[in-house]
Amino acid sequence: MVDFRYHLVSLVSVFLALAIGVILGAGPLQNSIAHGLTGQVDSLRESRDKMRVELDQRGAQLDAASTALLGAGEQLNAGTLTNRRVAIVAAAGADGAIVEKTRQSLTAAGARITGEITLAPAFTDTEYATYRSTLSGNLGSYVKDLPAGGSADAILGAAVDTVVRSAPEDAGATTLITLLTSPENKLIDVAVAPSEAAEVVVFITSDPAETAPVPADKATTSPHITDTYQAAFAAIAGRGPAVAVGAGTDGNSVLGAVRSAKNGSTVDSAQTALGDVNIPMAAAAELHERHVHLGVAPGADSAIGERQSASAPAQTAPAPQPEQAPAPAPAPAEGGQAPEGGQAPAGQ
């Protein structure tokens, strides 16, 4: 059995140590401790301010580099797409700023934007899968050269391609627009009605810009949506020059899946000056029957493309033919009878 005096000595020791600590902390050690903590806080504050200045400087340098790259790109691409007809097809949820930048970079290179189509959410929504399957089975009369054994997604992609690559007076394309914009089951929105048959289709994905690779199990776009857009773009690229554009730089993005399939050309980092420069270059390459993959994401051939002109001569409208005056009516024969092949005058 432990002696009570042992407990008493232990308690006295504890309180004595506590008292000594309080006395020292409030007396001789107070200034040194406070001074040391103050010095550490000041050092951390100085480091923070220094890093902030460096970050601002790096940001200014990056902005200047982007401006310089954009200016050089405009000079490189000037005239490379003169008189070429380009249509824009944007995925549901595509960044409007990227759509606008794409439009500007193409027109700066001389292209004419012939139409803009936005795919509606129902284009990929699983709740509309049955409707899309049924509709795709009834489009054979309006879509030429349907993909052999193609899925519903591929057939609908071919239908969108037909809309933008057809002349506005084409009856089949007009019917397709009516079917695809049905208010009850809208699959596309016609932002700008096609005014001419497009030669190149630029497809803009809805991938968000990522600053670091995203694991497959945490991808922001569902595999179903990725597969749908990949099949649709494959159909578009199989029917003519096509470029897929996206902000994402991750292999699990829609653009990454399209790039892996090697259908058409691709441009990543579309939200940056690098993307602005590369989009017209990829379109020109497609018109030369070359597929290129430009940017900094996995699978890219090079960070920036090569200048190559794909301009076309201006098309002149045919000269109007003078109207021919109608032939004079033959004079009535004697006896009031019309000549052979003619009509008797009124009242005869």
Side-chain angles (χ1 to χ4, degrees):
M1 183 174 179
V2 180
D3 193 343
F4 176 74
R5 286 177 297 179
Y6 176 80
H7 288 289
L8 183 60
V9 171
S10 299
L11 290 173
V12 170
S13 300
V14 170
F15 283 109
L16 182 60
L18 180 60
I20 292 173
V22 171
I23 293 171
L24 291 176
L29 297 180
Q30 180 181 17
N31 293 334
S32 60
I33 294 175
H35 192 68
L37 292 175
T38 302
Q40 293 178 9
V41 171
D42 291 341
S43 177
L44 290 172
R45 185 178 291 114
E46 290 176 3
S47 298
R48 179 203 62 188
D49 294 341
K50 183 178 179 181
M51 292 180 64
R52 181 176 296 167
V53 171
E54 291 179 355
L55 183 61
D56 291 341
Q57 291 175 344
R58 295 290 177 87
Q61 292 172 355
L62 182 60
D63 290 341
S66 296
T67 301
L69 177 61
L70 192 57
E74 289 177 353
Q75 295 181 19
L76 280 172
N77 289 323
T80 57
L81 295 176
T82 299
N83 297 319
R84 290 298 193 174
R85 306 182 301 276
V86 182
I88 294 176
V89 177
D95 189 338
I98 292 179
V99 175
E100 177 62 24
K101 285 164 66 71
T102 299
R103 186 188 305 117
Q104 291 176 354
S105 64
L106 290 168
T107 54
R112 295 198 303 273
I113 306 300
T114 59
E116 293 185 25
I117 302 292
T118 300
L119 304 183
F123 197 92
T124 58
D125 195 330
T126 54
E127 293 183 4
Y128 290 84
T130 301
Y131 171 76
R132 293 196 301 270
S133 178
T134 302
L135 177 63
S136 65
N138 297 318
L139 298 182
S141 301
Y142 312 108
V143 182
K144 298 178 182 178
D145 303 323
L146 281 175
S151 64
D153 299 329
I155 294 174
L156 290 174
V160 173
D161 182 80
T162 299
V163 168
V164 297
R165 293 195 202 263
S166 300
E169 63 272 13
D170 185 271
T174 302
T175 302
L176 284 173
I177 291 176
T178 301
L179 294 172
L180 296 174
T181 58
S182 170
E184 296 81 11
N185 301 286
K186 181 179 291 188
L187 298 182
I188 68 171
D189 284 304
V190 181
V192 178
S195 58
E196 300 178 81
E199 298 171 279
V200 183
V201 177
V202 175
F203 174 64
I204 302 176
T205 73
S206 56
D207 295 324
E210 299 291 347
T211 56
V214 179
D217 59 345
K218 295 185 178 180
T220 55
T221 305
S222 72
H224 168 73
I225 293 177
T226 299
D227 293 343
T228 298
Y229 285 145
Q230 180 180 339
F233 180 76
I236 293 172
R239 300 166 64 86
V243 180
V245 173
T249 56
D250 184 76
N252 296 318
S253 62
V254 173
L255 186 67
V258 169
R259 178 171 284 178
S260 298
K262 301 297 183 182
N263 294 309
S265 294
T266 60
V267 175
D268 63 60
S269 307
Q271 77 283 11
T272 67
L274 182 63
D276 292 341
V277 175
N278 279 331
I279 290 171
M281 289 181 172
E286 282 288 313
L287 288 166
H288 282 284
E289 299 183 355
R290 291 180 54 235
H291 297 331
V292 295
H293 305 285
L294 306 177
V296 296
D301 300 327
S302 61
I304 191 169
E306 300 177 357
R307 172 188 164 84
Q308 51 185 328
S309 178
S311 61
Q315 295 182 349
T316 57
Q321 298 295 325
E323 295 185 8
Q324 303 208 353
E334 282 188 29
Q337 297 296 322
E340 186 177 353
Q343 297 292 330
Q348 295 294 327

